[in-house]
Amino acid sequence: QVQLQESGPGLVKPSETLSLTCTVSGGSISNNYWSWIRQPPGKGLEWIGYIYSSGKTNYNPSLRSRLSMSVDTSKSQFSLNLNSVTAADTAVYYCVRDRQYCSGSSCYRYFDYWGLGTVVTVSS
Amino acid sequence: ENVLTQSPGTLSLSPGERATLSCRASQSVSSNWLAWYQQKPGQAPRLLIYGASNRATGIPDRFSGSASGTDFTLSISRLEPEDFAVYYCEQYGGTPPTFGGGTKVEIK
């Protein structure tokens, strides 16, 4: 059973950089896609971006200019950096396994394993 | 961006009743790339259905999904007390994947 655990500061000042790390256990970080998804208080879910274990990334266009992701397979960790944060970046941040695979002629994509989430508040 | 519109916003039902939740996509999306998630207060979302109609591991068979063009449906045949939650549909047809606004299933 794959388990994910987010870690990082719960409070970030406006204009600074939000940095989170996700540790993967119970399964291999290799040959998988890993996403970050966030949920502002009382609102819905927003996909932030993914990183493949090789380091290939794909970001949400709405966040691309402020976003970077990295992966450290030796530590089974991947990370998120979001710079120039504002109050609008306040949310619960989830790290998620981004399952993308083909079986026969059918290809599937979905989010199957989620971390518990970490609350990040942007405030001075 | 493919916008998913879920209806109704809130569904008030009693345990044992059938729930029918709808999700409509603004653009065509393969049913293989449509999923449903359940979220309870203070918890992370949980995958229920992928590929529009495939139950995820450990999901009871009272949950089922179907697709017709750009319309997708999640059905819960007989509501159990633990099924009262918020449900989200999600499409992964391109970048970015997007989620619907959610349907809250509450106890009547």
Side-chain angles (χ1 to χ4, degrees):
Chain A
Q1 175 86 351
V2 175
Q3 294 184 314
L4 300 97
Q5 177 68 60
E6 304 90 351
S7 59
L11 182 63
V12 182
K13 289 182 168 56
S15 80
E16 296 191 343
T17 297
L18 182 162
S19 296
L20 297 174
T21 295
C22 182
T23 302
V24 180
S25 60
S28 176
I29 196 171
S30 298
N31 303 312
N32 278 297
Y33 294 86
W34 304 96
S35 274
W36 291 94
I37 292 171
R38 68 182 182 179
Q39 185 171 34
K43 295 188 178 180
L45 299 158
E46 179 184 32
W47 178 77
I48 298 171
Y50 75 58
I51 186 164
Y52 189 64
S53 51
S54 65
K56 179 180 79 170
T57 57
N58 188 22
Y59 300 151
N60 191 321
S62 69
L63 298 168
R64 184 173 291 145
S65 64
R66 300 192 290 131
L67 190 57
S68 68
M69 294 183 184
S70 61
V71 61
D72 185 339
T73 55
S74 68
K75 295 182 178 179
S76 287
Q77 293 179 333
F78 61 101
S79 298
L80 161 73
N81 284 296
L82 182 66
N83 61 37
S84 304
V85 297
T86 70
D89 296 309
T90 293
V92 177
Y93 285 74
Y94 296 102
C95 58
V96 185
R97 189 172 79 164
D98 185 335
R99 190 87 166 99
Q100 302 185 30
Y101 71 100
C102 294
S103 176
S105 60
S106 296
C107 294
Y108 299 94
R109 306 174 190 171
Y110 50 86
F111 304 110
D112 58 354
Y113 292 102
W114 296 63
L116 295 177
T118 188
V119 177
V120 178
T121 301
V122 178
S123 175
S124 56
Chain B
E1 180 170 310
N2 200 340
V3 177
L4 299 181
T5 302
Q6 290 189 240
S7 61
T10 301
L11 199 51
S12 298
L13 295 168
S14 301
E17 290 193 294
R18 181 181 184 87
T20 302
L21 289 66
S22 296
C23 174
R24 172 168 290 177
S26 64
Q27 303 171 26
S28 176
V29 59
S30 168
S31 59
N32 286 352
W33 300 334
L34 194 288
W36 289 92
Y37 302 84
Q38 176 194 67
Q39 187 177 34
K40 297 179 181 179
Q43 296 185 16
R46 176 175 71 144
L47 175 68
L48 295 177
I49 300 283
Y50 67 93
S53 60
N54 301 286
R55 278 187 299 277
T57 302
I59 301 303
D61 61 7
R62 63 179 181 274
F63 291 91
S64 63
S66 63
S68 177
T70 56
D71 291 327
F72 301 88
T73 300
L74 174 70
S75 298
I76 311 171
S77 58
R78 297 170 311 279
L79 283 164
E80 297 287 342
E82 62 268 27
D83 299 335
F84 292 92
V86 179
Y87 292 84
Y88 294 96
C89 57
E90 173 258 327
Q91 70 79 31
Y92 208 150
T95 297
T98 54
F99 293 84
T103 290
K104 181 179 182 180
V105 179
E106 65 176 21
I107 299 176
K108 185 174 181 180

